[in-house]
Every structure is written in structure tokens, then in C-alpha cells.
Amino acid sequence: MEWLQQLVNGISLGSIYALIALGYTMVYGIIKLINFAHGDVFMLGAFIGFYAIARWDLGFIPALIISMLLCAIIGVIIERVAYKRLRNATRIAALITAIGVSLLIEYTVIFFRGASPEAYPEVLANKSISILGASISTQSIMILAVTIVLMILLQFIVHKTKIGKAMRAVSHDADAARLMGINVDNTISATFAIGSALAGAAGVIFGIYYTRIDPLMGVLPGLKAFVAAVLGGIGSIPGAMVGGLVLGVVETIVSAIGYSLWRDAAAFVILILILILKPSGIFGKNAREKV
Amino acid sequence: MTEKKTLKRFASVFLASSLIVGALAGCSSSEEEKTSSSGGSSSSDGDSSEVIKIGANLELSGSVASYGSSIGKGAELAVEEINAAGGIDGKQIELVKVDNKSENSEATNAAIKLATQDKVTAMIAPATSGNVIATAQIANQYKIPTVTASGTAPNVTENEDGSINDYVFRTCFIDPFQGIVAANFATELGAKNVAIYADNSSDYAKGLAASFKQQIEANGGKVVAEEAYVAKDVDFKSTLTNLKSKNPEFIFIPGYYEEVGLIVKQARELGIDVPLMGADGWDSPTLVELAGKDALNNTFITNHYSSQDPDKTIQGFVEAFQGKFNEAPNAFHALGYDTVYFIADAIKRAGSTDGEAIQKALAETTDLSLITGTFSVDEKHNPVKSATVLEYVDGNQKFNSKVNP
Amino acid sequence: MKKSKAFWGFLVLALVIYAVVQGMISGGMLDLYYQNILIQMCINIMLAVSLHIVIGITGQFSIGHAGFMAVGAYISAIATMKLGLPLIVAIILGAVISALAGLLVGIPTLRLKGDYLAIATLGFAEIIRIMFLNVEYVGGAAGMVVTNLTTWTYAFVGVVITILVIANFTNSRHGRGCISIREDEIAADAMGINTTYYKVVAFTIGSFFAGVAGAIYAHNFFIIQPTTFNFLKSFDILIYVVLGGLGSLSGSVIAAIFLTLVSAYLANFPETRMIIYSVVLIIVMLYRPTGLMGTKEITSLFKFGKKGGSKV
């Protein structure tokens, strides 16, 4: 039952990618910005959760909520300070600013606490359950459960609430939305808040599942999540989920057949193949360009 | 009109950025002065008779920042202690730190800067072998004795053509030695079918894996699986699941504690309960936190020393380190600390700050007793010191055996 | 007439700069520290200008430039270290193979647009890097030790050729085609311009000079390792181009010089170096979103004049 085991491994990894990818995809959907600082918000979320659990002795759920709240605030601050001015500038200028913000967050954290890694305390009892010969840890079940709950919540917010409607309207056409009386600035901030809160949640879950956190931990998952978002069709919420899971499972399969060193390359090869065959990703809309 | 406006804006940008630059620089330099660890390049070169400048070309940012900054901390503590005890022949040491961003080009730049601008007496070379190689020729050219705390690859001191980099030394083991010790240990445990799971992005781990494999095969063992991972990976379960199916009796995992902690944890979760073994890269209190005490049982490492050795000097170092930095020392901290003492000892014996004299003194070092062991320097500029095999028992390192080179 | 005037003006200027710097080096006024900064500056200018032709001129958003730099670096290192060829042959070989790699990557990916192209180029660059990581012939992760052969002359001649070729390309029929793609790809297509062809040509030329820069880089820093050429390196190059002003060749050059100097100066503040660097980056982008040199409405004559003013 080795394959079942590998599938479980892949899905656990994929759900974390998916959670980070959601934030990327939402921000991209609304202001067409590749927010490279998103991976670092994920890192901050992991550290906030760590301090909440290790220093203030909070449990998993309170730590998760604190981390999500603080990350939401941080996300809004980043948007207001760094990106708002650039909303009408070229997208590439905003991208460079995002890279700058990313470096700033990373090295400010290193300045204050050093670059050494930190080990997450064990807050959830970790037992292995044996199902059909595969040992599945309660933690992987927890990851999957939290991810699914958050995604349902997100779908609910985006499709059933007023702010969600505003988000969809702004992402469709910001100018028309403004004319219809939607406060575009607030809607964009709300998008950053939700996206960053998800990254914060992903940070805490990552910390609990993989134990090790460090100030540069956001760089690689951030890039992978971006790949996942593009894979699924950037701007699409179900796309981010599917993209994350596909990426996680593909990486696991490549490692499982003994090519762990080619794992990242394989992820990119698949990405490029999908882009060439279906340039807008799995779930992306094929927008006709207007002349 | 618009041009004027843009000019004005431009000026304000520069003003704002220079203010921030100044503020940040100010706050960093004031801190540096407090610890007397770095003076930047502001001090003039004329007073070199009163202070001895030791350059530290370290990875303070970038992918391996945790190694470089650990060495830096160890070095800082050593410099502080030496200075408090009156310095070297009455001269205070000044540590000039330069960041090389974990990039070999920046390591070269930093070495050139230390050699030409700061005019240092000796240098602490970067943490990783590749970056040390990037500085070696500069050290030779400017005759600045350079010691690396953790550059373990044999070609750091010995070039491909067999020539020796005259001015490059090291405080750590070279790769082959620890691999051989580990392989002999595995054979002692009675393991025939072994597996290797190495960090392929690190020449250190690859070097260890290669020598381990060679020795275990010479001992009549068999390598049933050879897998690899890349630094910064977090999910090892798929490869470990794969390894498990090959049923090895012993797994050698050369690498650093950051990944190894997770590997050990995930391996035990998947039900791999055979002995696991690593080398000095494992040595860090963080390893115990990452892997968990129970998971670490039945694991072994080769190391220079044990931080839990009751020996007075070792405990003195551990306490001083904890007092200064509020964390327990790992192998990088200890090696960085020893590197400064190694250099200081040579400067003292040379009786001058002349590069050639110090180089000679470093090469002639015999039976120097430091935290990470007592060693002499061989003709290839490597320290000859014994390795200690330690076993983890409930999160504590327990002495198992000592192996002489 | 005007074009050739600019051409000769630039060449004279380049000769003057070379003579002055060479004189200072021979006179012992510039020690190894400054020579090294100059060489690095030249490498960064080559990288910036070679990406400028892809992003600034053709408007194709590529963030995988470090991959082509890696090809140039490794191929030239193999040529000198394993095959014993002279440096100049190695540089050309590295650049040609790098251009071929650009061609191979460009043909399938340049059909993509905008951010999809960006992520695809980034993916290719990472694949190239992972290939070098897994090839034991070039040392794998440990890297490849390379003899230091680069001199200031090689680096400077490289820069002059890069700028000349790319400036002339921009002003040629091909260059106009590329600019039309940047301005409006659909309109260019409708005008009968073979957009794919021009994009691939620009991409290949960009890769060629990235390869030259990589080759000179490899022979200046004693060792090359795959980690050097990761996506963060690509971002660095992208930053030069955007900070200088998209579409402005002189802007790329100035930004490369400016950031090399900032980086070298900040080495004095090891603990806060990256914080200051990122703050400078954010502030410049916030207050000058179009980059230091701003728009592309700089005539070629003014461009060369401007460049000279900032060079020394």
C-alpha cells in the first residue's frame, strides 16, 4: 500500500500549497499583481503562531486565529503603504515593489531574531492511524480538514456575501464597479486581508506539520504556490485548490519513483506543458483580447 | 515645468532614502560598538599597531545565513573573551564582519574588500566550501591567513593538481574522515544492508556520503538504496516511504540539523525504526526540538565534542555562550569560537601581525586544545583530531566511543 | 547620418573611458577592490542590457534570465577548464550555446503572454539550474572551480559590444518590429509583422549576451555553483531593467551602475545591508514608478550623452 501512503503524503503537501496559492490568486484576480511578498506573509504567520503557542501558551485554534488576524492586518498595511500608490503604474513596477517588500520583511525578521530556524512546539497529539497499510498521521487529517473548512468559508465569502460580490465586481472591471458605487479601495484591502489571513493560517499549519520554521521559509513555498496558482489558472479560486493539490501530488510521485532531485524540475516541466497546451491554466478563462 | 517637478521629487527620494540609510546604519553601528565586534571601514589604517583586525567573511544573509551568522556569534564571543583577558600581547582584536549574501561572487568581493580596504591581519573564511574556494586565491595573493570554520571539502585547502592553498586553513574535519568513522560504526553494529539519504545541494553531505559508501563496501556491506534531498525541503515522506520498502538495517543521513530533524521525525512517523546516523552537521539543540526526543532514540552522530561533556572548559563555553546569546551552542557556534582562538594562538606564537609569520605559525600548530578537540595541523592544512561517536538518549547526547584518525 | 554620428560618438566615448580607467589602473590608483567593482559593474550592465532587449524593447516579460547566464557560465567554464580552450573562444562558445538555449526556450514559450510567459521563463531557468545541479561532470552542487582569467579589458569590451549591438538592433528594421510588438502586439500582427519571429530573435540576442556576461562572471569569481543562478538572480537583473526605466537602454546601464555601487557600499553594514537595499528599492519604485530614467522618449544621441555623464 505504498502508493496510498504516497498519495496521502502528496495531498498533505498539496493542501499547504493550495492555501498559499489562494492568496496569490485572489490578489492577482483583483489587481493583476503577482504579490511576491505573499510567501513572506506566510512566514510571518508561522512565526506569529509560534510565539502564540510557545510564549503565550495558547492552543492551536486561538493561535491560528491570532495569526490569521495579524496577517490580515499586515496584508492591509502592505497594500496601503506599498501597492496603493502604484495602482495606476505599470504592473512590472508593482512587481518590483513586491520583491522589495519581500526582501524587507525577510531581513527585518532576520535583523531582530537571527536567521536560525525554530522548532514548533507540539500542540496537537500526533498519532498514526493505519488504514489499508498506510500510516496516516492525525496531523495530515487535520491539515486537510482545516484547509477544506477554510476553502468552504472562502467560497461562501466570495459568492454569498456583499463584500464577495464587490470583489468579483472589482476584479471583473474596477472602473465600472466604482461607477456602480462600490468602494474599490476598501474592496482591494479586504481582498488583501483575506488572502493574507489564509497565508497566515497556512503558516501555522505548516509549522505544526513540518515543525521547522525560519525567516526564509516563505521563499520556496511562495514560488511553488505561485506555480500552483498559474497551473490552476491564476485568478480562479477552485483553480488554486486544484493547482496546489496537483503540484503536491506530482512532487511526491517524482520523489517516490526515486528522482527526488528532479522534483522541482518536474513541477516546472508540467507547468510549462500545461501552459503551452492550455495557456491560461486548468481552470483559467480564455479571455479574448480586445483590440 | 514638469522637469522641475520631477527633479524635486527625485531629490526628495534621495533625501528620504539617505535618511533611512543613515538611521539604519547609525543604529547598527552603535550596536556594533557596544559589542566591539565590528567597526566597519571607518577606522583608519594607521592604528593597526594597537588593534589586530580579523575579518569575518560570512553568510549573514541569503540561503545559508543561519550557518554564517552562527559562526559569527561564536567568533564574537571568542573575541570578547580574548579582549577582556587583555588581548593578544596587549593588542585588542577587532572583528570586521562582512556579509557575502551566501553567494560566491560576493564572497570574493568581501575577501577583496577585507584585504584591500580594511587591511585585516587574518580572515575567517565563509561557512560553505564553495564560498571558501571563492576567497582562497585572494588570501594567497594578499598573504592573509584565512581559516574556515566549516568548509569541509578537501579541495578547500588542496587544489585539484595537488598543490596546497598556502594561506587557507580550517578548524573542522574534512569530509572523508567522518564518513569512514560512520561506516565502521555501522559495521560494528552488525548492519549489512545500509541506505544513504544525503543532502545533494551540499558538497559536505555528498562528500560524507561518498566516503561512507566506499568504506561500507570495503567492510563487506551493501548499499541497498541511495536517495537524496535538497536543502530547504520539508517533505521527505515520499522518499522515506520508498527507502522503507528496501528494508535497510541502518540509514546514514549526512546533512544539516535543519533538514535532518524533520527527516528523523518523519522517518519514525512512517515506522522506520532502524539506527540512523549522521555527522557534526546534526549537532544543534534545535535538532532535538525538531525531531522530538523519542524519535531521536537509536540515532548516532560523529562529532568533535559533546556539548554535554562535563569537562570544565566545555561547560564554561556553553555557559558563556548561553549567557551572551540566550541560546544553546551548536556545532557552528563552537567551530566559529575555536576559529578565533586558533588564529589568536598563531598570532601570539608568530609574535607579529605579518601574514607570512602567522601562516607559518598556523601550519606549525601542534596539540592545540580547543573546545572542539585537541589538534595538530597536517601538511595539507587540515586539523588532525579525533572524532567522538555520540548517541542520542531521550534528547541527550551520550558518549559512545572515540575514534582516532 | 544621425545614427552613425551617435555610433562614432559612443565609440569615442568608450575609448576615452577605457583609456582613463586603464591609465588609473596602470598608475596604481585603482587597486583590486575597485577593479573588481568595475568588472562587476560591467557584468551587471551586460545582464541588464541583454534583458532590456527582451523586456524593454520587445515588451516580453521574462524572469528567467539567470538561466541563460548559467549556460554561458558553465559552457565557457567547461571550455577553459576541461577542454583547455582560450578564454575568448570560451566566451563565444558560451554565448552561442546560450543563444541556442534561448532559441529552444523561446520558440515554445513566447507564444504565451504576460504573467504566463513570466512564470514559464522562470520555470525554464529553474530547470536549467536543476540540470547543472544534477550533472556530476560540472561538479553538481559543489560547483566547478574556475581559474580567474577575466580582466577589466574583457569585461569592458564585452559591455561596449553588447551596447553597440543592442542599440543598433533597436534602431534597425528588426528593432522597430520589436517595438511595435511592445506597443501593441495585435496591431503589429495586423500590420503583417511576424511577431513570433521578432520575439524569438530578440529573446535569442538577449540570451546570447547573458551568456557573454555569464562567461565573464564565471572566470572572475573562482567558482561557479548552481545556486548562484537561482530565480533571485533573475530578479536582480529584472530590478536593474525596471529601476532604470523600461525601454531605456541608458536607464538600464545607469541602474546597473547605481545598484552595483549601492551593493558594494552597503557591504560596510553587514547586519542591515539587505534591509537598506530593499527600502531603497521600494522608495525608488514608489516615487519613480517608471524607473530612474523614466520613459523611452530619449533620443539615441541624448542617450549616449547621458550615459557618458554618469559613467565616471
Side-chain angles (χ1 to χ4, degrees):
Chain A
M1 276 300 116
E2 201 188 312
W3 285 105
L4 183 65
Q5 178 79 60
Q6 299 288 22
L7 197 66
V8 172
N9 298 342
I11 290 174
S12 312
L13 180 66
S15 348
I16 290 178
Y17 287 153
L19 272 182
I20 312 175
L22 282 173
Y24 260 118
T25 225
M26 287 176 69
V27 167
Y28 186 88
I30 204 154
I31 54 170
K32 301 279 174 288
L33 164 71
I34 304 173
N35 181 14
F36 270 115
H38 195 67
D40 299 290
V41 175
F42 158 77
M43 177 271 289
L44 287 176
F47 272 96
I48 293 167
F50 170 75
Y51 288 117
I53 294 169
R55 302 275 190 277
W56 308 327
D57 289 322
L58 295 175
F60 166 61
I61 299 291
L64 187 72
I65 292 171
I66 288 181
S67 166
M68 286 175 74
L69 278 178
L70 286 179
C71 281
I73 295 170
I74 292 166
V76 173
I77 293 174
I78 293 174
E79 192 269 328
R80 287 277 152 121
V81 174
Y83 302 149
K84 200 177 168 195
R85 285 186 67 107
L86 294 171
R87 212 168 282 159
N88 294 320
T90 51
R91 282 166 48 202
I92 202 166
L95 179 79
I96 300 290
T97 314
I99 295 173
V101 171
S102 159
L103 290 174
L104 182 64
I105 295 175
E106 283 161 17
Y107 288 99
T108 310
V109 173
I110 289 185
F111 183 71
F112 285 112
R113 65 161 298 284
S116 52
E118 202 81 67
Y120 242 69
E122 206 157 286
V123 279
L124 294 175
N126 189 22
K127 286 196 211 101
S128 292
I129 307 169
S130 190
I131 300 171
L132 297 170
S135 71
I136 298 167
S137 72
T138 42
Q139 283 183 350
S140 12
I141 297 173
M142 182 273 302
I143 291 193
L144 205 59
V146 173
T147 312
I148 291 172
V149 167
L150 287 173
M151 283 173 184
I152 292 173
L153 201 65
L154 184 68
Q155 281 289 10
F156 176 77
I157 291 174
V158 171
H159 288 283
K160 300 285 180 202
T161 62
K162 218 171 165 183
I163 188 78
K165 210 174 209 174
M167 279 175 193
R168 281 182 292 144
V170 172
S171 101
H172 200 74
D173 190 334
D175 289 329
R178 189 178 285 118
L179 290 175
M180 299 309 286
I182 291 171
N183 187 333
V184 173
D185 283 349
N186 283 354
T187 309
I188 292 176
S189 293
T191 311
F192 266 90
I194 294 173
S196 304
L198 289 173
V204 176
I205 293 173
F206 181 94
I208 288 172
Y209 191 62
Y210 290 119
T211 320
R212 186 194 68 206
I213 58 170
D214 67 79
L216 297 176
M217 67 185 268
V219 180
L220 222 54
L223 186 70
K224 296 269 183 68
F226 178 46
V227 170
V230 176
L231 199 62
I234 194 157
S236 147
I237 289 172
M241 296 189 211
V242 173
L245 289 174
V246 168
L247 192 65
V249 172
V250 165
E251 287 195 354
T252 308
I253 291 174
V254 174
S255 302
I257 54 175
Y259 291 94
S260 53
L261 296 171
W262 292 92
R263 194 185 54 192
D264 293 356
F268 282 113
V269 167
I270 290 197
L271 171 86
I272 288 165
L273 285 180
I274 287 194
L275 285 183
I276 288 171
L277 297 176
K278 194 167 184 317
S280 48
I282 303 172
F283 279 78
K285 287 192 199 77
N286 247 330
R288 298 291 313 162
E289 266 182 75
K290 282 169 258 176
V291 183
Chain B
M1 192 59 209
T2 48
E3 195 154 83
K4 220 175 183 180
K5 206 172 151 200
T6 48
L7 212 70
K8 236 178 164 177
R9 262 184 156 184
F10 209 41
S12 70
V13 168
F14 270 96
L15 206 68
S17 55
S18 58
L19 273 177
I20 288 167
V21 169
L24 278 168
C27 92
S28 78
S29 63
S30 63
E31 195 174 293
E32 278 159 8
E33 269 155 36
K34 248 183 269 159
T35 59
S36 80
S37 63
S38 165
S41 62
S42 52
S43 50
S44 60
D45 304 313
D47 58 8
S48 58
S49 55
E50 280 146 40
V51 294
I52 296 174
K53 280 190 187 180
I54 297 182
N57 178 353
L58 295 171
E59 292 84 347
L60 301 175
S61 66
S63 55
V64 291
S66 63
Y67 312 149
S69 46
S70 294
I71 291 172
K73 278 183 183 171
E76 247 175 60
L77 177 65
V79 167
E80 205 171 81
E81 284 180 10
I82 294 172
N83 284 345
I88 304 174
D89 296 333
K91 290 179 193 163
Q92 296 279 299
I93 302 178
E94 186 191 322
L95 193 65
V96 185
K97 278 199 208 169
V98 181
D99 172 27
N100 63 31
K101 287 182 170 177
S102 313
E103 284 174 24
N104 46 47
S105 61
E106 293 282 340
T108 307
N109 296 345
I112 293 175
K113 178 182 176 292
L114 288 171
T116 60
Q117 304 306 109
D118 298 311
K119 304 204 186 322
V120 295
T121 304
M123 287 196 282
I124 299 174
T128 52
S129 302
N131 291 346
V132 182
I133 292 168
T135 66
Q137 300 313 320
I138 305 295
N140 289 342
Q141 192 181 337
Y142 284 90
K143 296 193 169 44
I144 298 175
T146 299
V147 183
T148 174
S150 59
T152 51
N155 66 347
V156 162
T157 52
E158 186 184 9
N159 292 320
E160 247 167 76
D161 56 10
S163 63
I164 301 294
N165 279 327
D166 285 335
Y167 284 83
V168 183
F169 296 84
R170 71 177 114 214
T171 331
C172 49
F173 295 121
I174 56 167
D175 293 332
F177 177 55
Q178 289 194 84
I180 292 166
V181 172
N184 291 339
F185 186 77
T187 311
E188 256 174 58
L189 284 181
K192 278 265 178 299
N193 297 323
V194 303
I196 301 174
Y197 191 21
D199 175 355
N200 198 48
S201 58
S202 137
D203 40 0
Y204 157 74
K206 280 172 73 183
L208 285 176
S211 64
F212 175 85
K213 188 179 176 190
Q214 207 176 2
Q215 186 66 23
I216 200 89
E217 279 167 356
N219 290 353
K222 198 178 146 211
V223 179
V224 291
E226 248 187 299
E227 293 283 352
Y229 62 92
V230 187
K232 306 280 165 199
D233 278 1
V234 288
D235 197 299
F236 307 94
K237 285 190 174 167
S238 48
T239 314
L240 285 169
T241 308
N242 207 5
L243 274 182
K244 192 187 169 192
S245 65
K246 305 263 171 64
N247 293 319
E249 297 158 24
F250 178 100
I251 306 177
F252 184 55
I253 313 175
Y256 295 112
Y257 63 92
E258 300 172 322
E259 285 83 25
V260 167
L262 305 186
I263 294 175
V264 170
K265 178 172 178 257
Q266 292 173 15
R268 297 303 192 213
E269 272 171 23
L270 291 171
I272 299 176
D273 47 15
V274 298
L276 309 176
M277 186 161 190
D280 57 345
W282 284 34
D283 183 28
S284 162
T286 316
L287 176 76
V288 183
E289 292 171 37
L290 286 171
K293 284 178 189 167
D294 296 335
L296 267 181
N297 283 336
N298 204 16
T299 62
F300 304 87
I301 61 170
T302 52
N303 201 2
H304 313 262
Y305 78 117
S306 164
S307 58
Q308 283 159 353
D309 191 323
D311 181 83
K312 242 190 5 227
T313 39
I314 292 180
Q315 284 316 310
F317 160 71
V318 173
E319 259 167 49
F321 192 88
Q322 230 148 4
K324 186 167 163 60
F325 297 108
N326 200 21
E327 61 179 308
N330 62 29
F332 286 107
H333 292 130
L335 287 166
Y337 178 86
D338 276 1
T339 301
V340 171
Y341 273 101
F342 182 28
I343 296 172
D345 170 73
I347 296 176
K348 202 166 185 173
R349 278 186 290 114
S352 84
T353 53
D354 176 54
E356 281 176 55
I358 299 171
Q359 190 268 351
K360 216 164 151 246
L362 278 172
E364 284 168 356
T365 301
T366 36
D367 297 328
L368 178 64
S369 194
L370 297 172
I371 297 295
T372 59
T374 302
F375 68 84
S376 306
V377 172
D378 70 7
E379 74 279 5
K380 287 181 176 171
H381 290 189
N382 300 320
V384 181
K385 54 180 171 181
S386 53
T388 308
V389 177
L390 303 170
E391 179 181 0
Y392 279 97
V393 179
D394 292 325
N396 294 314
Q397 294 177 340
K398 197 175 135 239
F399 178 83
N400 180 296
S401 56
K402 201 162 193 151
V403 184
N404 289 317
Chain C
M1 189 58 210
K2 196 179 158 206
K3 203 174 118 191
S4 71
K5 210 168 132 193
F7 176 83
W8 291 111
F10 172 74
L11 217 55
V12 169
L13 184 80
L15 273 174
V16 170
I17 293 171
Y18 180 75
V20 169
V21 173
Q22 191 57 44
M24 282 166 87
I25 291 174
S26 320
M29 284 161 77
L30 294 175
D31 59 16
L32 189 65
Y33 177 67
Y34 294 104
Q35 287 179 39
N36 184 54
I37 288 182
L38 280 171
I39 291 177
Q40 226 178 344
M41 216 179 255
C42 291
I43 293 170
N44 289 340
I45 292 173
M46 275 185 268
L47 289 170
V49 172
S50 64
L51 187 61
H52 155 83
I53 190 176
V54 179
I55 297 189
I57 301 297
T58 323
Q60 301 304 304
F61 192 6
S62 160
I63 43 176
H65 219 51
F68 302 113
M69 185 185 172
V71 174
Y74 270 100
I75 298 294
S76 68
I78 291 169
T80 53
M81 301 307 294
K82 309 259 183 195
L83 311 176
L85 298 171
L87 178 60
I88 187 75
V89 180
I91 293 175
I92 293 168
L93 199 65
V96 169
I97 304 279
S98 177
L100 276 178
L103 192 68
L104 280 178
V105 172
I107 289 172
T109 50
L110 285 168
R111 304 188 311 146
L112 301 170
K113 292 193 172 60
D115 299 315
Y116 294 102
L117 173 63
I119 192 75
T121 48
L122 188 143
F124 266 115
E126 285 292 295
I127 291 172
I128 292 174
R129 188 179 69 81
I130 293 166
M131 271 165 54
F132 286 121
L133 188 68
N134 284 292
V135 176
E136 282 306 318
Y137 180 67
V138 292
M144 193 171 168
V145 178
V146 185
T147 319
N148 183 331
L149 297 169
T150 301
T151 60
W152 140 255
T153 309
Y154 275 109
F156 190 75
V157 171
V159 167
V160 171
I161 294 174
T162 308
I163 293 180
L164 274 183
V165 170
I166 288 178
N168 275 340
F169 176 84
T170 310
N171 289 324
S172 71
R173 194 167 62 88
H174 283 75
R176 300 288 171 215
C178 289
I179 292 174
S180 74
I181 295 171
R182 178 188 72 195
E183 295 301 328
D184 192 332
E185 190 172 342
I186 294 170
D189 222 355
M191 294 299 288
I193 287 167
N194 186 347
T195 49
T196 312
Y197 168 75
Y198 284 113
K199 284 196 273 189
V200 172
V201 166
F203 200 74
T204 308
I205 294 178
S207 310
F208 181 88
F209 287 107
V212 175
I216 291 176
Y217 176 97
H219 292 86
N220 191 44
F221 293 111
F222 306 103
I223 182 166
I224 46 173
Q225 288 176 304
T227 46
T228 310
F229 306 101
N230 63 11
F231 63 95
L232 295 171
K233 186 83 199 168
S234 297
F235 285 0
D236 283 345
I237 307 170
L238 181 69
I239 287 169
Y240 299 140
V241 177
V242 179
L243 200 73
L246 274 183
S248 164
L249 192 150
S250 52
S252 308
V253 174
I254 290 169
I257 294 172
F258 172 68
L259 287 181
T260 311
L261 290 177
V262 167
S263 183
Y265 173 71
L266 288 179
N268 292 323
F269 313 107
E271 265 88 8
T272 47
R273 172 185 205 183
M274 291 306 289
I275 299 180
I276 301 170
Y277 181 81
S278 57
V279 168
V280 170
L281 194 65
I282 294 170
I283 290 178
V284 174
M285 285 329 290
L286 282 184
Y287 289 89
R288 295 280 305 175
T290 48
L292 289 174
M293 286 300 290
T295 48
K296 48 259 171 187
E297 282 98 36
I298 307 163
T299 64
S300 61
L301 191 67
F302 181 56
K303 209 189 294 174
F304 291 133
K306 190 79 186 174
K307 192 197 147 288
S310 66
K311 181 92 189 184
V312 182

